Amino acid sequence: MRRIEILAGIMGVLSLTYGQGATAQVRNTVCDTISYEFIEEKIIIPVTVNGVKAKYIVDTGGKTGTLYDAATEMKASAAGYMSVTDVNTQAANFQEAYIKDLTIGSNYRVKQLKTMVFPKNSFFTSLDVVGILGGDAFAESVVTFDSRTQIMVINYPYRPERLKVTDGIPLLTDAEYHSFIHVQLGETQLRVLFDTGADGFLLYSTEDNNQLAAVSGSQVTNRAHGIVAAGISGLGTPVDIKKVTIPSIKIAGKEFANVGSTTTMMNGSIIGVELLKHGKVIIDYMRKRFYFFPFDEGKTDLGGAPSLWNISILPHNGRFEITTVWDSMKDQVTFGDEVVNINGASLQDCPKSQIAVEKIMNDIPGNSGYIIIRRDNKDKRIEIKKEK
C-alpha cells in the first residue's frame, strides 16, 4: 500500500507561526559532505547536540522537532509554546525548547536552535531517530541533496563552486525557512512546498485541484471517502478524496508528464522527496534560491495516477480499521470496519502503527488479495485489489 500522504503525521508539519530561533556559529568556510540513510522514504542524518549523538530526519517542509526524552538528555531549556497544523489540517499546541551546540557534519554548527518538543512517537522509534530537522536548522547554509551518491553537502557562507544565482528560482520570501517555490502547472503557476519529509512526488491539495482543474487539464480517475493518513492530532475527519492525473508540471524548466496524485486537505500542495530521484536539488537559504538539476534531459513521464489498494487500513480505537474506501468497495465495506486479517496475516499481535500495517499490505504478491473484517463478532472475507 503506497502511502498517499505524510506518514505518521509529524512529517511535513506546516507551522502557523515560525520562531526565529536559529543562530549559526560556523568555523570559517564550511563545505561538509554528510552521507545519509534513506529509510521509509526519509532522509536520516547523524548529528550531535550538546555532546549527545543522535539521528534526525531532514524535513525541509517542517520545523525542527525533538522527542521529549531526547530533548531532556540534550539539556534543552523551555521556550514557550507554538501552534502547528498537521496533514489533516488539525491544529495542535507543542511546547518549544532551545537546544544548544547542534553540529551537522564536521564544521556546520548552530549555537542555539528552537525545537518543538514531541511526545513519544512509534514512527520515530522505529527509525531510531529523535525528531526532524527543518529548514530552520540550515538557515545559514546552502544545502545540496544528491540521491545518486546519497549525500548532503552543506556550504557556508559561499555557494557551491560554479553555482550561479541565475541558475535558480526564487524561494518565496514570505515563508521564512520553508522551501516554497512556484512551479508551472499547465497554463498557470502553482505555489508548492518542496518537502523532503513527504513521500511521493506530488501531494495535491483539494483547494488547488478545485481552483485549477480547468487550466491544469487534470483528469479525475477515481474517488474515495476517508482519511489518508494519521496526523499529530489523530486521524481527523473523513473527507472526499480524488485520484487525479495532471498532464504537465514544470519544475525549474524540467517537465514532468502524467503526474499522478491524490487530493489532500492540507493548506497547500507539496512536491515530495521523490523529486530527488530525478535530479539534484540545492537550497540556498541565505540567498533564497532553489536549484533543480535533472539527471535526464527532456520530458519525464511519471505514469499517471498511482496504483493503490482500493481500501486503506490504519490503527484506530486500539485496533485496525478501514479508514479509506474507494468507489469500487463502497458497497462491500464501511469506514470504521475492524480488520483482523490481511491476506492470511493475523493482526492480533501486529504493532498498532501505520508502518506495520503498510508492510503487510506491501508484502501481498500481485495486485489482488483479501482482508477479513469483523462485524458483530462475525468474520467476513473481502477481496481487495490495486487500481488506478
Side-chain angles (χ1 to χ4, degrees):
M1 179 173 61
R2 176 178 171 180
R3 270 164 298 202
I4 304 173
E5 282 301 331
I6 302 174
L7 186 60
I10 300 296
M11 307 302 103
V13 169
L14 302 180
S15 303
L16 297 185
T17 58
Y18 211 104
Q20 298 289 331
T23 304
Q25 186 180 51
V26 185
R27 287 182 183 173
N28 302 318
T29 300
V30 171
C31 181
D32 276 340
T33 299
I34 301 106
S35 296
Y36 64 78
E37 299 175 84
F38 194 63
I39 305 173
E40 295 292 339
E41 303 295 309
K42 300 292 178 277
I43 294 171
I44 299 172
I45 63 171
V47 302
T48 303
V49 182
N50 201 21
V52 178
K53 293 183 178 180
K55 292 181 179 180
Y56 277 86
I57 293 168
V58 178
D59 182 357
T60 60
K63 185 185 185 301
T64 295
T66 307
L67 292 174
Y68 176 84
D69 288 347
T72 300
E73 184 181 4
M74 295 167 182
K75 295 181 171 56
S77 56
Y81 290 84
M82 77 172 300
S83 179
V84 298
T85 56
D86 68 7
V87 66
N88 298 309
T89 66
Q90 296 188 117
N93 290 320
F94 284 97
Q95 183 180 352
E96 288 189 297
Y98 289 110
I99 53 177
K100 296 183 178 181
D101 297 326
L102 170 73
T103 302
I104 304 172
S106 300
N107 296 294
Y108 184 73
R109 296 183 176 181
V110 179
K111 182 179 180 180
Q112 179 171 278
L113 181 67
K114 189 178 287 186
T115 177
M116 293 182 290
V117 180
F118 296 143
K120 290 183 178 180
N121 183 284
S122 61
F123 177 65
F124 288 156
T125 302
S126 69
L127 295 181
D128 192 29
V129 301
V130 300
I132 60 177
L133 289 178
D136 49 338
F138 304 98
E140 297 293 331
S141 72
V142 184
V143 180
T144 300
F145 297 94
D146 192 337
S147 65
R148 295 171 299 183
T149 50
Q150 214 161 289
I151 60 169
M152 286 176 56
V153 180
I154 300 180
N155 289 86
Y156 170 88
Y158 306 111
R159 298 188 301 273
E161 189 177 358
R162 296 185 295 276
L163 186 68
K164 300 176 181 178
V165 171
T166 52
D167 292 335
I169 59 176
L171 288 176
L172 303 185
T173 56
D174 62 330
E176 294 183 305
Y177 304 124
H178 286 313
S179 45
F180 282 98
I181 59 173
H182 278 133
V183 301
Q184 191 69 27
L185 180 72
E187 300 174 1
T188 190
Q189 284 192 322
L190 173 67
R191 174 189 169 104
V192 299
L193 173 69
F194 172 64
D195 186 356
T196 57
D199 299 349
F201 186 86
L202 173 67
L203 285 71
Y204 198 32
S205 80
T206 297
E207 182 178 356
D208 286 340
N209 178 66
N210 292 341
Q211 291 182 352
L212 303 175
V215 294
S216 69
S218 64
Q219 298 292 320
V220 176
T221 64
N222 208 338
R223 299 172 188 270
H225 187 75
I227 297 166
V228 288
I232 54 179
S233 300
L235 290 186
T237 303
V239 297
D240 290 330
I241 303 165
K242 295 177 181 177
K243 193 181 294 188
V244 300
T245 297
I246 299 169
S248 174
I249 292 179
K250 291 181 180 178
I251 301 175
K254 166 70 174 180
E255 184 172 8
F256 295 93
N258 292 318
V259 181
S261 183
T262 53
T263 57
T264 77
M265 291 303 295
M266 292 181 297
N267 294 329
S269 296
I270 286 175
I271 296 293
V273 72
E274 191 175 310
L275 180 65
L276 297 182
K277 296 179 182 178
H278 302 283
K280 182 165 64 175
V281 168
I282 302 175
I283 305 175
D284 186 339
Y285 287 99
M286 292 184 290
R287 300 164 190 86
K288 295 192 177 296
R289 302 294 288 183
F290 178 92
Y291 302 81
F292 178 63
F293 299 103
F295 298 144
D296 298 312
E297 298 299 327
K299 186 188 301 185
T300 297
D301 193 317
L302 296 184
S307 180
L308 304 172
W309 292 106
N310 53 7
I311 52 93
S312 293
I313 301 167
L314 288 171
H316 189 225
N317 296 322
R319 60 186 193 177
F320 289 97
E321 295 182 356
I322 291 177
T323 53
T324 300
V325 181
W326 292 89
D327 275 0
S328 62
M329 295 294 285
K330 63 184 181 182
D331 295 328
Q332 299 188 59
V333 296
T334 302
F335 179 89
D337 278 344
E338 181 182 6
V339 181
V340 297
N341 189 291
I342 299 174
N343 215 54
S346 172
L347 298 183
Q348 181 175 349
D349 297 320
C350 181
K352 300 298 188 294
S353 77
Q354 186 170 345
I355 287 180
V357 71
E358 285 185 346
K359 183 179 187 308
I360 295 173
M361 297 292 285
N362 288 335
D363 287 344
I364 298 175
N367 295 318
S368 62
Y370 71 90
I371 60 173
I372 294 177
I373 63 173
R374 181 167 292 165
R375 293 179 186 160
D376 302 323
N377 293 320
K378 294 181 179 180
D379 292 349
K380 182 179 179 180
R381 174 174 167 144
I382 304 290
E383 303 299 318
I384 61 173
K385 63 179 181 180
K386 285 183 179 178
E387 57 190 25
K388 286 275 190 176

